Structures are given as structure tokens and as C-alpha cells.
Amino acid sequence: MEQYVPKIQTSSVLYNEYKRKEGDKENTHYCPGCGHGTIQKMIAQAIEELDIQDRVIFLSPVGCSVFSYYYYDTGNIQCSHGRAPAVATGVKRSLEDAIVISYQGDGDLAGIGMTEIIHSANRNEHITVFFINNATYGMTGGQMAPTTLIDEKTLTTPFGRDRERDGEPIRMAEVISSLSGPVYVQRCAVSSTKELLNTKKAIEIGLKNQVNKLGFSFIEILSPCPTNWKMNSLDSREYIDSVMKKFYPVGLFVDKREESSPYKGSSFPLLDDRELKELISPTQEIQEFEPINIPSQVAVAITGFGGQGILSAGTLLAHAGLSHNLEVSWLPSYGPEMRGGKASVTVMLSNESIGSPLIESIDYLLAMNGPSLHHFAPMVEKGGVIIINSSLIDEEISIEGVNIYYIDATQIAQEENMSSASSVVMLTALSYVSGIVSIDSLIAALPHSLKKREYVEKNTTLIHKSIAQLEEKYGDRV
Ligand SMILES: Cc1ncc(C[n+]2csc(CCOP(=O)(O)OP(=O)(O)O)c2C)c(N)n1
Ligand code: SF4
């Protein structure tokens, strides 16, 4: 096969070909002249020069740089709007050798994420933050940002930003410098060659501070957005030098590298598995059951509508998995409606650490109503299983390589005067057909999701009754 040769090799830290990107896989999605491309290339080069590629976890924000994971051949996490410093805190505290980069725009960092950045800086988290200040909300079409200059025209300030109405723009490098935590704060710019060289140097220092375990580094970079500024590339760089820098002076604000001693690691003791489980369920002892031999990872989807007990069934299954000493994840998904809207939960059970709770395919689908069956059935793997709530789904289906079971879940639950517990009948069927968790572990997990003793007893009876019906229909369980 012919080898792919990139047009321009910028850094080995950036992919040669952007395979995750849709369409054009050779060029980034940034507009021509955008500062993001220039800055991201310099960050990649600094990572390469410091030889830290295998340790970097790059956190991208919501904003034009949301797709940074298309480009960086490093660890990647895409964070909720403004929350990257909080995510970075968690990542760095659990992986102390990682080099954690929080890359954020001005809307993301100084608008919605102001709380996260202030507190992480104040705590002197050992992370590096690159703050890309283009004075506008680039991705959403150029609205006023907290950093938009006075008199600057944007989509939402067509006559210019007004000091009385909109307040002063926020100078983040100065705000961060007022805190005692940070070790290094610098403002630089993507404009002239001289500024670019300064920016490259500041990026290197910001990353090196993490290598040397010195503390929080904040690099603000004035960056062009030619598209929303309605300028060409050259004019937008000139605008940074002649206009932006007057309000946002470039330079060094804090440099405590000399007086900071390297971080020696957390003094908090790490919890072992047992202590962790007790912390999650402080009031209930988690019973231990025989380990279960499951394939390395099993994905279960419980699906239906709000009010069917879908999410609690997921919790029950996750608890049962825990008591078999499996790794578990629980990821709910539901519409804004309280009851009656779509609801589903995916639970992963695994013998190994679970990298992500997101699933691409399903091993066991518990379909509690027609629409959810039709929606999720195409995701079931060959060799997988679908369990259908035949009380509400009046059809028989056949999918090549997939085993289908039917159980009158709603009816069985109603006969016990427990119409909202039909999902427990479905879970019982899952245990019956798969053995991925035992019936005993399901029963033992009931007090974790049900507070009243009376409900625990009623659900236990329901589980036994469901087993009897399943055995009558399908024979002895696995
Ligand atoms: C919770 C939430 N609020 C608002 C938005 C809409 N939104 C997407 S990007 C963005 C602003 C991005 O601007 P900035 O952080 O300056 O980055 P840029 O696109 O300029 O690089 C906003 C408001 C959203 N996606 N999510
Ligand atoms: S809109 Fe602005 S910030 Fe976004 S990619 Fe285009 S030039 Fe860059």
C-alpha cells in the first residue's frame, strides 16, 4: 500500500493524517490565519523538544479548538465548557507524572469557566494552562466575550462594547497574578516574529514547570480571529500589536520558579479497593460473592421510558457487579422530561479497568418498550442477547446471530402490585440467561438502591417469582 506522505511535517506530536476528522484529513479545521493553528503547532513542538509526548494529556475546551484531539497524538480529553481546569485537577492528582495541558479560549476560561480557573490557580494545581485570548466567542459566530475591548464591534455589540453597559474587559493574566498560588504567569501574542518567538519560549517554560514539578503556569496568548474580526490574516496580526497590546500588555507577570521547590507528591493516603467501596456505600456493607468469569468486558444497555425504573436497575446491576469484584461503570441518559421520555442506562462490567463508560456496541440489550428496542437493537453484537419486555412489545423479532428472550416483565411486576419494578424482572432475566451477575448478588444489592426494608422484601419476592416463570418457559438457568 502506498505510504501517506504529509504535505508539511510540523511536529511528530501532531498526527500526519487527521484520521478522526471527517472530510479533509490533511488540513486542520481552523480558518486561514487563525491563531489556534499557530499556537497548537508551537505547543506540539515544545512537547517534542521536551520529550514528554507519552506523558501529555491534552484537555480541549468547548470552542473553536474543541477538536484538538483530531491533531494531537497524545492523551486527549474533551471537557465541558469552562471545566478543563477542574478536569485537569482530577487528572493530575490521580496521575502525578502526567503533563496536563488545559487549552482554553476566552469565552471558555473567562466566561463560563471563571470559577474553575480561579480556584485551580489559587490552589496552585500542577498544571499548565494556555489561555487563547481572541477577544471574541469564535466558534459561535463572534459574540462579545469577557475580553472584548471597549468600543469593539461584535455580533452582540454592533455599536461597540460599552463600558457602562458591559463593564471593562477582564485582564486574566493580571487577575491570576493577584493570587498567591501561581508559579508562572506570562502574556504573549501571535503577531510579529518577535512575539512569536516569545510565545514559543513561554510555552516551553510553562511545560517545563510541570516537568520540574514547580506548580501552576498560566500563559495568556493574544491570538487573531480573522474570521470574526472581519480582517485578513496580516491585518489581524497587526491589530494585535497596535490595538490589543495597549489594553493587554505582553510580558512576565509572575515568575516564582527560583523560589519554588519541586512537588514531592501527595501526602494523602490512597484508598485501597475495599476502602473505596465503603466510601461509596458507607451505610451498607457490600457483600462479596464468588468472582464471575466474564469475557474481558461486557456492555449492558437497559432501555425504555422514564418511570420504568431504568436508572435504578442500572445501579442495581452495577452494585451486583461490584460484589463479584468486577470493575463497573454506570452511564445514564434521559430526556428533559421527568416521566415518559426516553431513558436508558449503559452498564459495563469488566475484569479490567474500564477506560470509558461510552459504548459502541451492546452485548446484552434489555428493551422495555418498542421504540427503545428499534433504536438499540442494531447496536447488539453478533453472539449478543436481547431480552424483550413482551408485556409492552407485541412483536417477535429475529436478528442473525442474536439470541432473543421474551418475558412479561410489566405484567409480572403488576401481579405483585409493583408496576414500577418491571426493570427488576428484566434484570432477573439478564442474570438468568447470562450469569454475568448472580441472583444472590442482585438480591444483596437491593438495599443499595431501595431505602425501605419493605421494598427490599417485595423485590426479593419479585425476583424469585420471575425466576420461576423463566424456568417454566426456558428450562433451568445457566
Ligand atoms: C454550556 C454551553 N454554553 C454555551 C455554549 C455555546 N458555545 C460554544 S463555544 C462558545 C464560546 C467559545 O468561545 P471561546 O472560548 O472564546 O473560544 P474560541 O471559539 O474563540 O476559540 C460558546 C458560548 C455551549 N456549547 N455550551
Ligand atoms: S472563527 Fe476565529 S477562532 Fe475560530 S477557527 Fe476561525 S479564526 Fe479561529
Side-chain angles (χ1 to χ4, degrees), residues 320-348:
L322 272 183
S323 65
H324 286 291
N325 223 2
L326 295 170
E327 299 281 328
V328 301
S329 72
W330 175 89
L331 188 69
S333 162
Y334 42 87
E337 313 89 338
M338 287 297 282
R339 294 177 81 83
K342 274 189 215 150
S344 68
V345 62
T346 47
V347 174
M348 299 244 261

Side-chain angles (χ1 to χ4, degrees), residues 175-282:
V175 170
I176 298 294
S177 303
S178 71
L179 304 167
S180 60
V183 162
Y184 186 79
V185 181
Q186 163 104 20
R187 181 183 288 123
C188 37
V190 171
S191 53
S192 63
T193 309
K194 181 178 145 227
E195 294 297 357
L196 281 171
L197 290 172
N198 285 339
T199 304
K200 177 77 195 305
K201 209 163 138 208
I203 289 171
E204 277 165 15
I205 295 172
L207 292 174
K208 212 165 166 191
N209 287 344
Q210 250 191 104
V211 175
N212 294 336
K213 299 180 182 288
L214 292 187
F216 187 87
S217 303
F218 184 89
I219 324 289
E220 173 169 346
I221 306 173
L222 305 180
S223 172
C225 173
T227 302
N228 287 303
W229 293 358
K230 302 187 179 25
M231 293 178 194
N232 66 34
S233 303
L234 289 179
D235 288 349
S236 62
R237 290 182 186 221
E238 159 55 23
Y239 174 81
I240 291 179
D241 277 335
S242 58
V243 180
M244 270 185 105
K245 273 167 41 181
K246 290 205 172 103
F247 187 79
Y248 295 115
V250 294
L252 187 59
F253 290 81
V254 174
D255 188 357
K256 292 196 243 164
R257 283 178 290 165
E258 292 284 312
E259 67 220 61
S260 305
S261 43
Y263 175 65
K264 293 199 181 62
S266 165
S267 54
F268 297 113
L270 286 176
L271 301 179
D272 64 25
D273 283 359
R274 177 86 221 163
E275 288 167 324
L276 204 58
K277 280 183 197 168
E278 276 167 12
L279 194 70
I280 298 167
S281 279

Side-chain angles (χ1 to χ4, degrees), residues 18-48:
Y18 308 136
K19 287 191 178 148
R20 294 176 180 147
K21 184 169 177 272
E22 293 207 352
D24 175 5
K25 301 204 188 300
E26 287 184 30
N27 298 295
T28 68
H29 68 291
Y30 298 122
C31 310
C34 173
H36 281 303
T38 313
I39 297 164
Q40 296 208 328
K41 184 170 79 182
M42 289 194 282
I43 295 174
Q45 287 167 343
I47 292 172
E48 187 177 347

Side-chain angles (χ1 to χ4, degrees), residues 38-64:
T38 313
I39 297 164
Q40 296 208 328
K41 184 170 79 182
M42 289 194 282
I43 295 174
Q45 287 167 343
I47 292 172
E48 187 177 347
E49 280 153 26
L50 291 168
D51 197 17
I52 51 173
Q53 180 174 7
D54 288 347
R55 294 168 60 193
V56 167
I57 300 184
F58 192 101
L59 310 191
S60 49
V62 170
C64 279

